[in-house]
Amino acid sequence: MTSTTKLKVLGINIETIKLLLQVIIFISIAGASISSRLFSVIRFESIIHEFDPWFNFRATKYLVNHSFYDFLNWFDDRTWYPLGRVTGGTLYPGLMVTSGVIWHTLRDWFGLPIDIRNICVLLAPAFSGLTAIFTYFLTTEMKDSNAGLLAAIFMGIAPGYISRSVAGSYDNEAIAITLLMATFYFWIKSMKIGSVFYGTLTALFYFYMVSAWGGYVFITNLIPLHVFVLLLMGRYNHKLYTAYNTWYAIGTLASMQIPFVGFLPIRSNDHMAALGVFGLIQLVAFGDYIKSRIPEKQFKTFLTVSMILIAGLGIGGLIGLTALGWIAPWTGRFYSLWDTSYAKIHIPIIASVSEHQPTAWPAFFFDTSMLIWLFPVGVYLCFQDLKDEHLFVIIYGVLCSYFAGVMVRLMLTLTPIICVSAAIAISKLFDVYLDLSEFWHSSSSTRTKLFTGLSKLLVLSSFTYYLFFFVYHCTWVTSNAYSSPSVVLASKNPDGSPAIIDDYREAYYWLRMNTAEDAKVMSWWDYGYQIGGMADRTTLVDNNTWNNTHIATVGKAMCSSEEVAYDILKQHDVDYVLIIFGGVIGFSGDDINKFLWMIRISEGIWPDEIHERDYFTERGEYRVDGQAPKAMQESLMYKMSYYRFHELFMGRDAVDRVRNQQIPIQNAPELSVLDEVFTSTNWIVRIYKVKDADNLGRDLKKASAFGKNSKKTRIAKKPKIDLRE
Amino acid sequence: MKKSTKTSVIDDLVNTINTTYSDYVKSLTPRTKLIDTFLLYLLALGILQFIYVLLVGNFPFNAFLGGFISCVGQFVLVVNLRLQYNAENFKIFNSTPERALGDFIFASLILHFIVYHFIN
Amino acid sequence: MIGIISWFLLFLSVQCIDIVKNWENLQYTRSIDLSKSYIKETVDIEAINIDDKPNGEYYFHIPDGLNNYNISLISGTFNEQLAILEFQEISNKLYKFKLPIPIASKSNAKFKIRFIYMDNLLPLPKSIELGDVQSLLIKINQFNFNAYNTKNYELNFEGLTKGQNMDIINDNYEIDENECNFDVPTIEPRIEDKSYKFGPVEDIPPFSIKPMGLLYDHNRPLAKALNLERSIWLPSSDINKFQIEEYYELTNVGANLKSGFSRVDWMKGKYEGMRNHWGYSHLELPTSIENQFDNYYFTDKVGMVTTHRLIKNFLVFEPRFPLFGGWFYNFTLGWDQNFGESLKKLDDDTYILRIPLINSGIDLTYKNVNLNFYLPENSQFINISSPIEFKSITYDNEKSYLDVSEGHNKITVNYENLFEDLSKVDVLIMYKFTKASYWWKVLKISSFIFTGLISYYLLNLINLKID
């Protein structure tokens, strides 16, 4: 601060060197975090990954090809046939708008007409660099810039965050984590100095966050909780009042601008905590004012009376409004946060998503490596210091550890705080052990010097090793676990050279090129977004699982017999049915393995017609071979999957390489209501066309049986003259 | 006994309010007076809007919310301003009245821009 | 039978040019090559001038009179390649050519006329099974639709392995019936030297017509590019490289699949590696000395396509799925090419680029081809020379990376109905690109960056702090 002696190294001011070093470190951190996310681009290509990103990509393309208002009013009739989807009003537009703005700026101002796909693919890595910087600022507020730099590099390469932000995973989380860190940083900043300006910035970033990700509710609850705890601890001050009120007033109003959020902030229970704390802080402020004016004893009475009044009013109001239906009760996903088996029982569709499953404990080590055991140390250090901002780290850490344990997906929100507290821990350690000053001017004996030196060396070298190992681990995890686009699969040729399995795109492109433009494609909802994005065809259900009944209908069609299914298909004007089948090359993520969820979801709607039990053998096994139960063998899914599968095996029993079961030849299914129209190279995607109703009014089963029996008659004219070689 | 505690509670309350009020009046400067009048006006406006909605119904819900929240938002912003103007708080906030006013204008502009956008 | 049809004949406006019958064809031989997905026809004519005075003009009608195909190219030679004939199109499919020297009265002249036409082959039956052999029907005039009398006439079909003659009804004549001669002798086909022959017949009157069909086995795909956008990006700096990008919209106009595409059948039949199957699964692009497909790539609208390899003299590309009749596939192929000999500097600022008209796949025909030249920004287009006639030429600008002025000069030349052999002919484009305009661009970009930096600096100077 006021040190008058300026240190100089080689004639340069040490502050300048520090700044220079910091800039260089920042650039390297950003470089590291971006480049470690580019594995998939280098290994495969610049392609959008997985499922949801395909929708975001499609929406972005719509945005850049139309005006912003068209985008907000976009009614998409190519999904959820025949219902359609009010897409503009049911999405978080932040991500698309961000890439749209980048696209326009680069094209119009910088003369760089970059393909929108490349912008979408590289958006997540670019934002991860920003995340690292915001993490730096946040941690700097917590401790100092040394910890900040450590946190930034941790954040940059922690697999828990990389899992959602590799190049191509163009999902809301890609920018949401950046915004999360930014909002928290500005919150801490404004809380610390009580600035309206920073409070407004918090609100603006909060707004951006609301526009980008449904997880904004996390902020909506975490900040009030922080304030609430501070109030309980009696740490009220005017700075807190200023920061919180500015954020709440502007932030709430701004968040209601997003069509999908709408009036939720004043209606839904998820947002009530913030409102409650808003009211509370007014009262506390008022009380505080009065307290400063009057003697202690009078204030106590005043406090008791007003407390009772307010508590009664508040709780009564909340219950009353919920009962009247003014305030929406908590959503299903929210309940499943508290009771992990809630979803399994009540909403199978939520449970069927793998990222909603509870986390297995090795996942924590896998995703954060050594940070996970440094995390409690950091939290402990925060307890020791326990300033207002440290409380924030503690609350965030405790809450998120719980959430991350409940849902795999929420590992993502835990990762930043792990990075922050681990950085605090390590930098504290380095503060102590890197302090070599005593060697110069301490009076201790050489013996103690030697011992302290040795122990310091030991600790430092082991931690350097740990850090090195951390980087190694992160790179390994990123490269092996999180860099597969899942649209394109990597495999090996028999000679060991790398090969690419590109069946999805093959089949989707076939659909796009060779079917009628308005053809309706039925598939399980997992592939809805991809079909919309790559095949550009109308789908019945997709990954935006808002309509459970519709999904159950598709599930029912898949698990019913042909006759039942045919009626459903006809009712919904289905032209093509698309399934994923991994039995030929052993691809385990196929539809037969997801089949149980289809059964469960449709059983939820038609408990009389579909029974999960029917699809298991007597002994409760899930089998597709000769012992497969009748319901299984007659289901449309089974038939579509194994249709003509046996012919690959030259009359022997077919072997399903995913389930390692043998399907006897007499079980080879016949299809009478569908025609096979396309099967991809490795059989992963199979597409069937729904037959038109028979001309003679026979049902299709009889008609196709007739067709099989009648000999093929070839009408051959006798040629006038033949020429043969 | 009971009666006496009750009366003492009421006495206490009345006493509290009285001392606070007189204290408050004493601490007023022309500037804070202006701010407080504005606060009162905002409060009245908010309540008025609320009553209107209760009586007439909340058909253009956006408009009501916009109006109401703009009152509430402006209210808390003004309170923030007032807190920072208070000479005894200068030390806490580590800032000056000019800076506070600048921040206040910035925040209010954003608030009203959003409100304007919200009402359509 | 023909009588029935003639009732339906239409009058077409472009008719009735009085052709003086001053020649007589002594010998008229048509040879039709059916080995490709388009048709190559060669007509050998030996004619005698029956006029009193020397005569230097000959009217040649495409010997068909049936209006159901597109002519790609017509060329001819005179007296065993002594001179090349220049054709002038009088009306649809009627050409006039001037002989290099007028032929004296009662003297003979020999012409050899070649032309290519396409879209005249119909798969019959329309839909077949995967393992069947595709047969094509060509509808053609059995005689010569010629303005002059013919003494001796012959018709040969080559390049087919198995064929049969069919009577067909045609209702799509392009000629006024009054001009046609339907009274023709019946001729029986015979087989000789692996070709399918009609004639010789004697004394054929002018404009003889008899529609006939030939159904023959052709177990190769009829691949067609409905659209080709061939873009040539010329660099503004002096690097010895330029980029070519081609966007293809492919289809197969051969037989359809009778039922859906079954992967089992496809695998069992091992059709993938088979050269003679009517499913179009490989696109073969020959390399040349100038074009080695450096840094080539294939993409389509969902990303990269990895099924390609560069083998000896060919770049082989497999579309994502094989194409059967009525199936479509589009893709983009791009590569770098060295200028080598193809760019010439006329003077300091003027350049001439020589580039093949197309870069054709084997046995591929093209419906609509746009040849786009992207000249460097701020350059001037001077002229273009094309060996075959183009349909239209348009000028435009397109902004590309770091184009700060109007963008690249884009010259689009449109062609129709091309076929593989036209990859051997070159288009020349001449343009002017001065050093000054190059440096102007560099200056402009750097000044933009400079302005940006300066304004950032100025903004920093303004102190926004309120203290």
Side-chain angles (χ1 to χ4, degrees), chain A residues 80 83-86 90 349 542-549 551:
Chain A
W80 292 95
L83 309 166
R85 173 182 172 194
V86 196
T90 54
I349 194 144
D542 62 31
N543 311 45
N544 176 268
T545 52
W546 61 275
N547 187 333
N548 192 29
T549 319
I551 291 177

Side-chain angles (χ1 to χ4, degrees), chain C residues 88-102:
Chain C
Q88 182 193 355
E89 193 167 3
I90 304 288
S91 67
N92 192 13
K93 287 170 187 160
L94 175 63
Y95 296 86
K96 182 173 88 172
F97 56 84
K98 274 212 167 67
L99 305 178
I101 38 161

